[in-house]
Amino acid sequence: MAKLHFYYSTMNAGKSTSLLQSNHNYKVRNLKTFIFTPKVDAELHEGQIHSRLGVNEKANVFDEGFNFYDFFKTRKDEKISCILVDEAQFLTESQVKQLCNVCDSFNIPVMCYGIRTDFRGELFTGSMSLLAYADTMIELKTICEYENCARKATMVARYVDGKLVTVGEKVVIGGEHYKVYCRKHYRKITGLI
């Protein structure tokens, strides 16, 4: 029976790299996959999933109105081996439920990769839904950026022009705007928790 997997972490933990590696593993065995990236990220990266290591792959682009169940219902006879979704925090709750339905109805594994919380420590809608509905949840880890801290980073802080910000739009695309910290140092730096 196929499962819905949620791989989550902070920024710079290798989520897109892991997705691209998984996709590669299917492809070299001549197995069919579909990879997706949200429109908000696709616009910045020309419709590709990209890794900071320099690996890229063309992806199907989804927006808030995209219906995953309808898309795969017409392809249920194509022997699809896996569906991979990058930046899954941008999925809507309805889209997460659609992916659950695709997984359960068509027996296609779904692997979603995303950030758990925003720069204020609040869950993204897609992540909240994936935490509720996924069969498995796998945390990808990276290290706190605070001075000599070696703890696991669990929080994301936003910087604009080198200055910490704790208010603003929920979404600002671009890894250069963010640093990752353990909860202790995030609290010390932001005062948000």
Side-chain angles (χ1 to χ4, degrees), residues 126-143:
S127 300
M128 180 171 51
S129 300
L130 286 162
L131 288 168
Y133 303 126
D135 296 297
T136 63
M137 290 163 277
I138 300 98
E139 183 180 25
L140 302 176
K141 298 171 182 77
T142 192
I143 307 299

Side-chain angles (χ1 to χ4, degrees), residues 46-140:
E46 299 172 355
Q48 295 190 359
I49 294 175
H50 93 291
S51 162
R52 287 179 182 85
L53 297 180
V55 181
N56 301 304
E57 181 77 27
K58 186 78 175 150
N60 296 285
V61 177
F62 69 91
D63 61 14
E64 289 183 355
F66 184 82
N67 188 305
F68 285 92
Y69 185 80
D70 288 348
F71 182 86
F72 285 102
K73 181 172 61 175
T74 63
R75 292 165 174 80
K76 63 184 178 186
D77 297 324
E78 290 185 24
K79 291 196 169 188
I80 300 165
S81 294
C82 191
I83 299 163
L84 301 103
V85 181
D86 198 31
E87 305 292 350
Q89 70 269 15
F90 297 126
L91 292 166
T92 65
E93 180 180 6
S94 178
Q95 288 171 327
V96 172
K97 289 178 179 178
Q98 293 162 18
L99 287 167
C100 289
N101 197 3
V102 167
C103 182
D104 297 341
S105 298
F106 308 135
N107 199 34
I108 303 170
V110 178
M111 300 169 72
C112 295
Y113 297 77
I115 297 169
R116 189 173 49 105
T117 59
D118 69 10
F119 72 108
R120 295 172 295 212
E122 298 171 0
L123 288 168
F124 282 98
T125 300
S127 300
M128 180 171 51
S129 300
L130 286 162
L131 288 168
Y133 303 126
D135 296 297
T136 63
M137 290 163 277
I138 300 98
E139 183 180 25
L140 302 176

Side-chain angles (χ1 to χ4, degrees), residues 146-147 164 181-193:
Y146 188 83
E147 295 176 9
L164 175 75
Y181 299 104
C182 66
R183 186 185 61 240
K184 175 182 175 179
H185 291 121
Y186 176 83
R187 182 175 54 249
K188 177 179 180 177
I189 292 165
T190 68
L192 291 174
I193 56 174

